[in-house]
Amino acid sequence: YQRRVHGDSIQLQMEPIAVGIIKEGWIFKQSRYLKSLRQRWCVLDTKKLCTYKKEKVYSDPTETVSWKDIQKVIENPGDDSAFTLQTPKVQFVFKSESKEEKKEWVFALNAIVICFYAPQTILLEGELFLEVVAKSEWKKGDYTLTRDELKMADDNGSEEVLDVSQFKSVNLTSESTSSTLRTFKITLLDGKGFGYLCKNPSDANKWMLALKVCIGYFGWKLSQFTLIKSSKDASLNVY
């Protein structure tokens, strides 16, 4: 389905939506009862957070947390690599392999919280360069991302706004080991694409994570709408 979201209304048209993994990697998770740390392969996709015993073996998760149950992410004081994920019933304690990894997990999970509970909050802002294919050049702009909009302002005072609900996917298109430059592409549901260049690798990772979460949110919202619609349609066939 293609999603067109305006406020709380959703119109549906036939068009596949990209679903994929936002972030994955090894992490230590505190067990519920013994409180011991156990290494798990942690996967955040566009619907849930899961932990597994084996790397890239996506069956029999030891824990599953739906997006809608992620309420708060707390950075643990006194430990640069630990954080707590708060859900309605349970608090999960995680410990990353590095401070940098923890920052990425916390950033991605906080982005989910913002999408559900504070949609007008700025997820990310900074300098990007938009690819102008016709001129074979990159146009500098100051970009601001919220759940619903990607806004650009250039040095001439002009602004452009993209509707995030129309984003289908975002993909890294280049990563040079000899350069700090990173480029990625946003593809829209209508097939159009926009290329962007980011000068800082860590900032590029943040843009990728934030955009994937936003795209995942609208996909999640559509899936919930589809479930409700299917249930209503099924009820009409009960005699």
Side-chain angles (χ1 to χ4, degrees), residues 29-38 40 63 93:
K29 175 185 165 294
Q30 188 180 79
S31 61
R32 291 199 188 193
Y33 305 108
L34 298 178
K35 305 302 179 182
S36 59
L37 290 175
R38 296 173 179 174
R40 294 288 183 258
E63 204 71 67
V93 177

Side-chain angles (χ1 to χ4, degrees), residues 38-106:
R38 296 173 179 174
Q39 191 177 42
R40 294 288 183 258
W41 185 254
C42 193
V43 180
L44 178 66
D45 66 22
T46 51
K47 290 184 178 180
K48 60 191 179 304
L49 176 75
C50 292
T51 56
Y52 303 90
K53 291 183 178 181
K54 296 181 180 180
E55 180 178 352
K56 295 185 182 296
V57 178
Y58 309 112
S59 59
D60 301 322
T62 61
E63 204 71 67
T64 300
V65 182
S66 171
W67 271 32
K68 64 181 177 63
D69 290 330
I70 298 174
Q71 294 183 328
K72 192 175 183 180
V73 186
I74 305 167
E75 298 192 52
N76 292 16
D79 192 335
D80 288 341
S81 60
F83 63 93
T84 299
L85 180 65
Q86 185 173 307
T87 72
K89 295 182 179 180
V90 184
Q91 285 192 343
F92 298 101
V93 177
F94 295 96
K95 187 176 177 64
S96 302
E97 294 186 333
S98 68
K99 182 178 178 180
E100 290 70 26
E101 272 293 298
K102 185 205 76 169
K103 285 182 177 180
E104 287 196 2
W105 281 112
V106 169

Side-chain angles (χ1 to χ4, degrees), residues 28-217:
F28 290 92
K29 175 185 165 294
Q30 188 180 79
S31 61
R32 291 199 188 193
Y33 305 108
L34 298 178
K35 305 302 179 182
S36 59
L37 290 175
R38 296 173 179 174
Q39 191 177 42
R40 294 288 183 258
W41 185 254
C42 193
V43 180
L44 178 66
D45 66 22
T46 51
K47 290 184 178 180
K48 60 191 179 304
L49 176 75
C50 292
T51 56
Y52 303 90
K53 291 183 178 181
K54 296 181 180 180
E55 180 178 352
K56 295 185 182 296
V57 178
Y58 309 112
S59 59
D60 301 322
T62 61
E63 204 71 67
T64 300
V65 182
S66 171
W67 271 32
K68 64 181 177 63
D69 290 330
I70 298 174
Q71 294 183 328
K72 192 175 183 180
V73 186
I74 305 167
E75 298 192 52
N76 292 16
D79 192 335
D80 288 341
S81 60
F83 63 93
T84 299
L85 180 65
Q86 185 173 307
T87 72
K89 295 182 179 180
V90 184
Q91 285 192 343
F92 298 101
V93 177
F94 295 96
K95 187 176 177 64
S96 302
E97 294 186 333
S98 68
K99 182 178 178 180
E100 290 70 26
E101 272 293 298
K102 185 205 76 169
K103 285 182 177 180
E104 287 196 2
W105 281 112
V106 169
F107 179 80
L109 293 166
N110 266 327
I112 294 173
V113 176
I114 288 172
C115 282
F116 276 91
Y117 302 108
Q120 300 305 314
T121 300
I122 294 175
L123 285 162
L124 193 59
E125 56 186 345
E127 183 182 83
L128 292 174
F129 293 80
L130 173 66
E131 184 179 16
V132 184
V133 178
K135 297 182 179 181
S136 299
E137 65 182 26
W138 297 88
K139 179 182 177 182
K140 185 177 75 171
D142 293 318
Y143 284 79
T144 302
L145 177 67
T146 62
R147 186 193 72 182
D148 300 325
E149 294 181 343
L150 177 62
K151 184 182 294 185
M152 183 277 291
D154 63 20
D155 294 336
N156 298 321
S158 63
E159 291 188 351
E160 296 179 10
V161 178
L162 292 177
D163 180 356
V164 177
S165 72
Q166 296 307 296
F167 291 4
K168 181 179 180 179
S169 62
V170 56
N171 297 287
L172 192 68
T173 52
S174 75
E175 183 173 356
S176 172
T177 55
S178 60
S179 171
T180 60
L181 301 180
R182 299 289 185 271
T183 59
F184 60 90
K185 181 179 180 180
I186 295 173
T187 303
L188 306 184
L189 291 166
D190 62 9
K192 295 179 182 177
F194 298 92
Y196 296 91
L197 181 147
C198 185
K199 290 185 176 181
N200 187 299
S202 62
D203 287 346
N205 289 340
K206 283 186 176 181
W207 281 106
M208 292 286 292
L209 288 172
L211 287 163
K212 285 182 177 181
V213 168
C214 290
I215 294 168
Y217 169 81

